[in-house]
Amino acid sequence: MANILLTQKCVRSCPYCFAKDNMESAEANAVMSWQNMLYLADMLEASKENHVSLLGGEPTIHPHFIDYVLYLLHRSFHVTVFTSGVISPRLLAEMEKHLSKVHSERLSFVCNLNHPDISPADELNKTKKFLTAFAPFITPGFNIYRPDFDLTFIFDYIQQYGLRRHVRLGLTHPIQPAAENAYLHLADMRKMASRLMEFSDSFLKLQTTPGFDCGFPVCIFTDEQIGVLYKAGKGRLSFRCGPAIDIGPDMTVWPCFPLHEFEKKSVFDFSTVGEIGKYYSDLMAKTRAGGRSGIFEECNDCEHLQGLCSAGCLAYVLMNKAALSGAQSV
């Protein structure tokens, strides 16, 4: 599956955003053109990929957002839109008119929600209207960037609006090479895990499954905690991490946002999405080899390395290598 960025501009300014550097360096008019969209749809089809994700920035601010969604649906793709839900009343009305009748098995939204306490009133009101309009299509998402996070409002939203009973949990990682965003530091990983387990009763009681996006190392949880998560997740629990394959409006491609400067390539260098995935999987494996392979020093000798766990996000490994290189050059 590939992530297509319709635009690299956003309507929010989240402190943890790991797309920030990529968006700030983008051209002001950097939006996905019809020509490029048609090329990518053909490439996905030739790759036998039937699922595509639309990202940003905020994808809904693209002037042809609805047209792109309808086109991809017409091409028989399942479309997932990653959005803040901060959508203008005019656009929301158009979305309801053209998209609300689509079957929710073919179109879905992941709404990345910030806690109401840090959300401006206008943004919060727009998001709530979006949740009301498209509730059956929406999976709530939450990005963890500090150990004292609160998920209570997510469970409230699930009950209040009737959202899908699954929460996509993302760990925020340091942007490479600058790491100028707010992110969860290694020293806080186990604190974060303990805090997450405080919401296990809510997951179980509301029959809501937790989903780990990427970068969660298995060792930050005890065996008992993993058992609870496995039960809450109905047997689906993953600590794997691999290339997400993000494709920008200018047809550059990179493995994921924290690694957007890791090694950018052009989509035109590849024939299929599978080739892109293999290229970055091999490159990431090579980068982890010959040194500290994971976020913790003990990752190298862990029996679960690669089999069950990918040893956390590569961004931390690159940051550690950069620190060691800087120390050696002094």
Side-chain angles (χ1 to χ4, degrees), residues 4 17 81 96 117 126 128 182 199 230 234 253 295:
I4 299 177
C17 181
V81 179
E96 287 188 85
D117 288 352
K126 288 178 179 176
K128 288 182 175 180
F199 299 100
Y230 188 83
K234 299 180 180 178
V253 61
I295 64 174

Side-chain angles (χ1 to χ4, degrees), residues 196-235:
L196 178 61
M197 298 311 299
E198 293 179 23
F199 299 100
S200 59
D201 285 346
S202 294
F203 279 111
L204 292 167
K205 181 180 178 181
L206 296 178
Q207 297 185 332
T208 298
T209 57
F212 293 165
D213 180 32
C214 65
F216 284 80
V218 67
C219 63
I220 62 175
F221 298 99
T222 66
D223 289 349
E224 181 180 357
Q225 289 172 337
I226 289 174
V228 173
L229 290 169
Y230 188 83
K231 182 178 180 181
K234 299 180 180 178

Side-chain angles (χ1 to χ4, degrees), residues 78-98:
H78 174 97
V79 179
T80 298
V81 179
F82 284 74
T83 177
S84 64
V86 181
I87 299 168
S88 70
R90 181 197 61 78
L91 178 59
L92 184 59
E94 286 295 306
M95 288 172 61
E96 287 188 85
K97 177 181 177 181
H98 296 286

Side-chain angles (χ1 to χ4, degrees), residues 273-292:
V273 174
E275 285 184 10
I276 300 174
K278 184 179 187 308
Y279 175 82
Y280 281 117
S281 292
D282 291 347
L283 184 60
M284 291 168 77
K286 181 180 179 181
T287 304
R288 288 184 187 273
R292 184 161 139 183

Side-chain angles (χ1 to χ4, degrees), residues 84-86 92 111 113 116 121-134 157 160-161:
S84 64
V86 181
L92 184 59
C111 188
L113 298 164
D122 181 57
E123 288 186 6
L124 188 59
N125 288 335
K126 288 178 179 176
T127 298
K128 288 182 175 180
K129 288 179 180 178
F130 170 67
L131 298 181
T132 300
F134 283 94
Y157 283 180
Q160 180 180 352
Y161 297 103

Side-chain angles (χ1 to χ4, degrees), residues 5 8 19-26 254 257 260-261 264:
L5 279 69
Q8 300 195 140
K20 178 182 176 184
D21 281 7
N22 192 65
M23 291 191 295
E24 288 181 348
S25 63
W254 58 91
F257 273 123
H260 78 275
E261 290 294 348
K264 281 188 175 179

Side-chain angles (χ1 to χ4, degrees), residues 142-151 169-173 183-200 203 210-222 225 229 239 295-296 312 316:
F142 184 78
N143 291 312
I144 301 171
Y145 67 101
R146 46 190 291 178
D148 58 342
F149 61 95
D150 184 12
L151 294 179
L169 295 167
L171 281 187
T172 58
H173 306 300
Y183 64 92
L184 192 71
H185 291 256
L186 296 185
D188 291 327
M189 283 284 184
R190 290 183 172 86
K191 294 178 186 176
M192 177 278 297
S194 296
R195 177 60 174 164
L196 178 61
M197 298 311 299
E198 293 179 23
F199 299 100
S200 59
F203 279 111
F212 293 165
D213 180 32
C214 65
F216 284 80
V218 67
C219 63
I220 62 175
F221 298 99
T222 66
Q225 289 172 337
L229 290 169
F239 299 95
I295 64 174
F296 300 121
Y316 293 98

